[in-house]
Amino acid sequence: MPQTHPTVVVLTALALEYAAMRPYIEEDREELVHPDGTRVERGRLTGTDWYVALAELGEGTRTAATLTTQIIEWLKPEAVLFVGVAGSLKADIGIGDVVVGTKVYGIHGGKQTENGFQVRPEAWPVSNALVNAARSAVRDIAGVRAHFKPIASGDVVLADAESAIAQHLREHYNDAAAIEMEGAGALQAAHLNGQLHALVLRGISDHADAAKHEDDATGSQERAAAQAASVAVATLRKHRPRGGRNGSSDTEEGPHRRSDDGGASHGGDHIDLRGGTFYGPVIGKQIGHQP
């Protein structure tokens, strides 16, 4: 399907995660159906140039990888976000907090030998532009505690902090702040495409321990999904599409003249070259108010 709008794909695994994102894309909303039956809802994110294509994939790393690949090839988006809930792996990251993944580990890779399991770590990168957009966005969101940390991803629901898999995470992925089931698959698909910004955002709904069922019963998943969705939307409001109103894929990208008081201006003697490419000193002279 040819792309007619600047599109960001927002992926979820659960119906409650989908429901948390859906109210943000009410404007011009339409349902799109792939020939293989995959469905997305697409609509404009109000106040931006983005059209958000929202999909509910179901659970699991392989499902996420397969369907993310299909949706990328179909819709040709500029960015992919996976937004949902996760379990906390750190005592200081509580229910309702949001973890923005700085990278995502695939936790099951390794080799079983007579001397034990030898881990072969795999980590998928995220978009630096989106991470920085998220850092900027959360400063202005009241009531959200955000953490920029690695995320562990694998086909396991962790509900026992003393289990072998929990020990495995502490020993080999000790900087991971949260555990979930789909991020590694989605990021692998985005990485292999080679042209996409990609990010995983997770609201914390439990502590990945024996109290998970009790936490879920209090509505913690719905609250965590809502927090993650609010951060995802704020991030997209900071990160503009390529060819948007100002021809930029970043709110701070491109040369901007700044006046002496730090504001944008058509005059002054300071030029911000963020987003430009240069190799060495830049020497210039501003004459009058010429562009």
Side-chain angles (χ1 to χ4, degrees):
M1 187 192 99
Q3 180 180 354
T4 57
H5 304 290
T7 298
V8 55
V9 169
V10 175
L11 304 171
T12 65
L14 305 176
L16 62 91
E17 298 166 345
Y18 189 100
M21 279 297 306
R22 194 171 188 241
Y24 292 104
I25 59 165
E26 288 187 339
E27 186 178 344
D28 299 328
R29 189 164 63 199
E30 61 181 338
E31 185 175 66
L32 306 177
V33 184
H34 188 274
D36 290 339
T38 300
R39 293 174 181 263
V40 304
E41 281 190 293
R42 186 175 66 178
R44 181 187 285 272
L45 179 61
T46 303
T48 75
D49 289 337
W50 285 117
Y51 276 72
V52 173
L54 180 61
E56 180 186 341
L57 304 185
E59 299 178 24
T61 303
R62 284 175 290 183
T63 296
T66 301
L67 292 180
T68 301
T69 299
Q70 181 191 76
I71 292 171
I72 288 171
E73 292 176 352
W74 174 30
L75 298 181
K76 304 294 190 291
E78 293 185 23
V80 174
L81 275 65
F82 211 108
V83 181
V85 302
S88 174
L89 296 175
K90 301 295 183 183
D92 60 342
I93 298 180
I95 292 174
D97 289 4
V98 175
V99 177
V100 179
T102 53
K103 58 184 171 183
V104 175
Y105 293 120
I107 64 172
H108 292 306
K111 180 180 180 181
Q112 187 66 50
T113 73
E114 61 183 9
N115 297 319
F117 187 74
Q118 298 177 353
V119 175
R120 294 178 176 178
E122 183 175 61
W124 297 104
V126 299
S127 163
N128 178 64
L130 285 176
V131 168
N132 278 278
R135 289 186 191 277
S136 177
V138 298
R139 297 183 188 119
D140 299 320
I141 306 178
V144 172
R145 291 185 66 224
H147 309 267
F148 292 79
K149 299 287 184 180
I151 292 173
S153 183
D155 287 317
V156 59
V157 176
L158 184 57
D160 182 357
E162 304 306 319
S163 63
I165 188 68
Q167 177 59 35
H168 174 78
L169 292 170
R170 286 191 290 269
E171 182 174 351
H172 300 290
Y173 303 96
N174 60 78
D175 60 341
I179 182 167
E180 46 94 288
M181 298 177 66
E182 296 82 26
L187 283 184
Q188 182 179 12
H191 175 74
L192 294 177
N193 175 272
Q195 300 178 21
L196 293 172
H197 292 288
L199 189 64
V200 176
L201 303 100
R202 294 287 184 169
I204 296 301
S205 60
D206 59 77
H207 291 283
D209 59 13
K212 173 177 169 52
H213 178 72
E214 297 174 9
D215 292 332
D216 291 349
T218 69
S220 64
Q221 288 190 325
E222 289 80 2
R223 293 194 300 274
Q227 293 284 72
S230 70
V231 174
V233 168
T235 298
L236 291 175
R237 294 190 187 281
K238 289 284 185 177
H239 181 79
R240 287 200 298 259
R242 291 187 293 270
R245 294 188 181 97
N246 295 309
S248 171
S249 62
D250 190 320
T251 53
E252 300 295 332
E253 190 176 348
H256 303 285
R257 292 183 180 85
R258 296 187 178 275
S259 59
D260 291 340
D261 63 2
S265 171
H266 293 292
D269 59 358
H270 293 80
I271 298 177
D272 184 343
L273 292 173
R274 280 175 290 185
T277 302
F278 57 95
Y279 305 92
V282 176
I283 302 173
K285 180 179 180 181
Q286 177 66 35
I287 300 175
H289 296 287
Q290 295 179 7

